[in-house]
Amino acid sequence: MAGAAPRRLPCGSDGGGGGVPRASAAWHLDRLLVTLCLLASVTLLYRCIVFTGGLLPLGGSATVITTATAGDGSAAGVITELTVDRFGRARSTTFTQGDTGMSITVMGGGSGGRRGRRAGLRTAGGAAAAAKAAVAAHGDAAGNSQTDEPQAFPGLPADFDPQAYLMYHPDLRALGITTADHAKAHYLQEGRAQGRPYKRLRVLLRYTACTGLINQQYSHIAAFALAAALGAELVLPPAVCRDSFAHYFSVYKEKNEVRWSPVPLETLLDVDAIMAYWAPRGLVLHRTPSLRPFPDLTQPEVAYPQYPAGSIDPNLVVRMEGVYLKNLELSELMERARAAVVGQATAILRDDPAADLQYIVLDMPCSFFSLRALSNLPVVTEVAKSLKFAPELVSMADRIVEAMTAGGKHEFNGVHLRIEKDARDWAAIMGGQQVVWQGYISTMRGVGFNRSTRIYVASGMLTYGASVEMDRTKNYLTHTGVCSRVHHKEQYIPQEELETLNSEQKALLDFLVLARSQRFVGFGSSTFSFYLREYRTLHGMLRATSGLVDASIIGTDPLFHAAGTVV
């Protein structure tokens, strides 16, 4: 997890002191442009994404994600090309192309990690000439030399795609089948009878976003990242809300008291803005088909989408199992998707080789913490940035901040008090409510809370009428010297207006206000608190301004670090 604030690049000198030759200045400018592109490409991996929309490029050669060019007529052009390879690894390649040659720098590593090995290559000619020469020397992505004479394969489908055939069926490599001609021959001899798909498939990915506000957010992040890597189209699920924070939530059905209901996704997210963001980048999004029927969220590991069949052929639907809370590498998710999609297609084609597969629907259950975000940060960061919140809630949060700070004249700190009734198990594990409170006070003092600054408190207590508890809380915070005055949303938004919001909208309203506080303290085992710290960092706040109460005894820290880190 990144522990420092984003660095600022030093500004270059314009040579105003004299004595810097024009050629030298241009050379330094070129080097600066290359450096800027390399640094930016790692953190902005999926910006300007160009995918093979609707295809499933699993196991193939590197997929070009974006190409950006910088430079003018007097300087060499700087071209940055970003790719994801068949193992889910992110790489960026920067070309500095001039009249006499081209230099290439490659960055990558892990499964999209921030630190990668660097390699350099210099060759005469431009980027296009270098690529053409490489293909001529080594063959295309399917293993064919471009100098080979085409061979005839009578009976082969006109739309046979040897690259797709090889990447959909990795078992063929063990048999020595690695070239396009081998693939064609194998399909005619055995593959057709075995029902092996021979061309790229259109894939519709559906998933369930489950439980609390931020659990839903992490569900979206995992699904968006997978869809982008697959080149699949993504069907947006409904949002959900709970009946009350006063009710006890448990993954054990016999103990659980919370009831979840589907609501339009627009109640939490700016769906129009998200679709507009991804459309030019090639990721196709489909609006939520319906709210009902809805799966039982007390069993999120099997909470698969349950939309009415409509125009979807149920024979073309396949489920991807074992992903909820699994913290999988992107490459592992991709492989599970490949196995599920190709397996379903194979079963259909084995029965009817002439079947025309227009699409395959790939269903995930709740995708919360399915993806190991820590080793895929460039992807996760870009997805998290794209998930804009509902503008109505943003506007309401602005009203609170404006009134609380008297138009920006006063600073405020923020705290997420995860002490509601549904958090009683955590308090018991930690040794009781007094231990929890001690953790809060010490953490607040540690990040700089003091009696001179007002504090905004987010808690579910007031949503279920615990006003006496809240009054005691306010007095305690003031008495311990961590604030001058306690504020909360109920003081600024009329009750009749708050009553129009569901539980997760109220949580989002608190989230948006806390995101703008000078300092923030939350609870270590709350996804709301953890993601809020990440969100503040994502939007330029120093990580040191956020602190989390040490709840490591609960045992969620390793999972949160691996699957919850966003930037």
Side-chain angles (χ1 to χ4, degrees):
M1 186 186 305
R7 303 182 198 174
R8 294 184 180 274
L9 294 175
C11 296
S13 170
D14 62 1
V20 181
R22 288 180 177 269
S24 176
W27 186 88
H28 285 291
L29 176 61
D30 291 347
R31 300 283 77 79
L32 178 60
L33 286 171
V34 171
T35 302
L36 289 171
C37 286
L38 288 173
L39 291 174
S41 64
V42 176
T43 57
L44 303 178
L45 176 62
Y46 272 24
R47 198 169 298 283
C48 301
I49 296 182
V50 180
F51 285 105
T52 57
L55 303 181
L56 186 66
L58 296 174
S61 58
T63 300
V64 177
I65 296 174
T66 182
T67 302
T69 305
D72 55 33
S74 61
V78 179
I79 304 172
T80 301
E81 184 176 88
L82 307 176
T83 63
V84 164
D85 68 14
R86 65 193 180 96
F87 301 108
R89 296 177 300 202
R91 296 181 180 274
S92 64
T93 306
T94 297
F95 306 85
T96 305
Q97 184 178 356
D99 294 333
T100 59
M102 172 187 68
S103 67
I104 305 177
T105 303
V106 179
M107 297 183 65
S111 297
R114 293 170 294 173
R115 298 179 180 177
R117 299 179 179 179
R118 303 184 181 185
L121 171 66
R122 295 183 180 276
T123 183
K132 185 175 182 180
V135 171
H138 303 293
D140 61 17
N144 288 329
S145 170
Q146 296 299 295
T147 59
D148 291 343
E149 291 295 327
Q151 299 185 29
F153 291 89
L156 190 73
D159 54 353
F160 183 86
D161 184 341
Q163 186 182 36
Y165 191 74
L166 292 171
M167 71 185 181
Y168 283 163
H169 312 295
D171 61 301
L172 297 180
R173 181 172 294 276
L175 302 176
I177 300 171
T178 58
T179 69
D181 287 349
H182 290 160
K184 296 172 184 177
H186 181 272
Y187 178 76
L188 291 174
Q189 294 168 6
E190 301 180 42
R192 191 202 306 269
Q194 294 171 345
R196 293 180 182 257
Y198 62 85
K199 61 182 179 181
R200 294 176 184 256
L201 301 167
R202 178 188 176 199
V203 177
L204 300 175
L205 178 62
R206 305 191 301 187
Y207 66 105
T208 299
C210 65
T211 59
L213 169 69
I214 299 305
N215 291 18
Q216 295 179 58
Q217 197 76 353
Y218 279 120
S219 299
H220 297 312
I221 288 174
F224 271 71
L226 178 59
L230 296 179
E233 300 172 30
L234 192 65
V235 180
L236 299 175
V240 296
C241 65
R242 77 192 78 198
D243 53 354
S244 175
F245 282 99
H247 293 166
Y248 174 69
F249 173 70
S250 174
V251 294
Y252 299 105
K253 197 168 185 177
E254 64 277 7
K255 296 182 179 181
N256 178 65
E257 299 174 353
V258 176
R259 295 292 176 264
W260 299 95
S261 301
V263 292
L265 187 58
E266 288 80 359
T267 61
L268 298 180
L269 296 179
D270 189 343
V271 175
D272 288 338
I274 295 170
M275 296 184 77
Y277 181 91
W278 287 106
R281 291 160 173 80
L283 181 57
V284 178
L285 303 178
H286 298 279
R287 293 185 182 275
T288 308
S290 67
L291 300 182
R292 299 284 185 180
F294 192 73
D296 182 0
L297 295 189
T298 61
Q299 297 179 292
E301 69 278 4
V302 291
Y304 291 95
Q306 295 183 1
Y307 302 120
S311 59
I312 297 292
D313 184 345
N315 295 318
L316 302 181
V317 178
V318 63
R319 291 179 170 181
M320 185 162 64
E321 300 178 345
V323 295
Y324 173 69
L325 285 179
K326 292 304 182 181
N327 184 28
L328 299 171
E329 293 290 352
L330 181 57
S331 57
E332 293 178 286
L333 280 175
M334 292 170 69
E335 172 54 25
R336 292 189 184 205
R338 183 206 65 79
V341 169
V342 174
Q344 185 72 5
T346 298
I348 295 171
L349 292 172
R350 188 181 297 123
D351 292 337
D352 181 8
D356 184 15
L357 297 180
Q358 296 294 321
Y359 57 85
I360 294 291
V361 177
L362 178 62
D363 278 354
M364 297 176 71
C366 178
S367 50
F368 171 56
F369 277 178
S370 293
L371 175 66
R372 184 177 176 83
L374 190 63
S375 52
N376 295 283
L377 282 180
V379 180
V380 169
T381 298
E382 194 65 20
V383 172
K385 286 180 180 179
S386 76
L387 296 177
K388 306 297 184 183
F389 291 115
E392 296 81 4
L393 275 299
V394 174
S395 177
M396 198 175 293
D398 289 343
R399 288 164 50 193
I400 294 175
V401 173
E402 175 72 14
M404 181 170 54
T405 63
K409 295 179 182 178
H410 306 291
E411 293 187 348
F412 74 99
N413 297 323
V415 60
H416 175 220
L417 292 178
R418 195 65 176 96
I419 56 175
E420 300 93 346
K421 292 180 180 179
D422 69 331
R424 61 185 182 231
D425 282 356
W426 290 344
I429 293 171
M430 293 182 66
Q433 284 285 3
Q434 190 58 38
V435 174
V436 174
W437 271 113
Q438 290 172 357
Y440 266 110
I441 298 303
S442 63
T443 306
M444 285 189 267
R445 289 171 175 162
V447 299
F449 283 34
N450 57 60
R451 65 176 66 254
S452 67
T453 306
R454 57 194 64 194
I455 188 174
Y456 181 88
V457 170
S459 173
M461 288 189 292
L462 288 178
T463 66
Y464 57 85
S467 56
V468 174
E469 294 177 49
M470 179 57 80
D471 287 340
R472 291 173 180 170
T473 297
K474 292 162 68 173
N475 291 334
Y476 181 72
L477 291 172
T478 304
H479 177 73
T480 52
V482 294
C483 65
S484 60
R485 183 182 173 190
V486 177
H487 300 256
H488 47 84
K489 61 181 177 293
E490 288 79 7
Q491 295 170 329
Y492 299 99
I493 304 298
Q495 183 62 27
E496 58 271 19
E497 191 172 353
L498 284 174
E499 288 177 353
T500 66
L501 305 180
N502 64 47
S503 62
E504 309 317 304
Q505 286 179 304
K506 292 174 183 176
L508 177 54
L509 183 55
D510 282 332
F511 182 97
L512 293 169
V513 175
L514 291 172
R516 295 172 59 177
S517 61
Q518 274 61 48
R519 299 171 186 84
F520 163 70
V521 165
F523 189 73
S525 283
S526 163
T527 53
F528 181 101
S529 293
F530 192 95
Y531 187 75
L532 182 49
R533 183 183 66 175
E534 296 297 302
Y535 183 87
R536 285 165 57 84
T537 306
L538 188 69
H539 289 82
M541 303 289 285
L542 294 175
R543 191 175 284 272
T545 65
S546 300
L548 299 178
V549 174
D550 182 3
S552 55
I553 191 173
I554 294 175
T556 58
D557 283 12
L559 179 61
F560 276 38
H561 179 66
T565 302
V566 168
V567 62

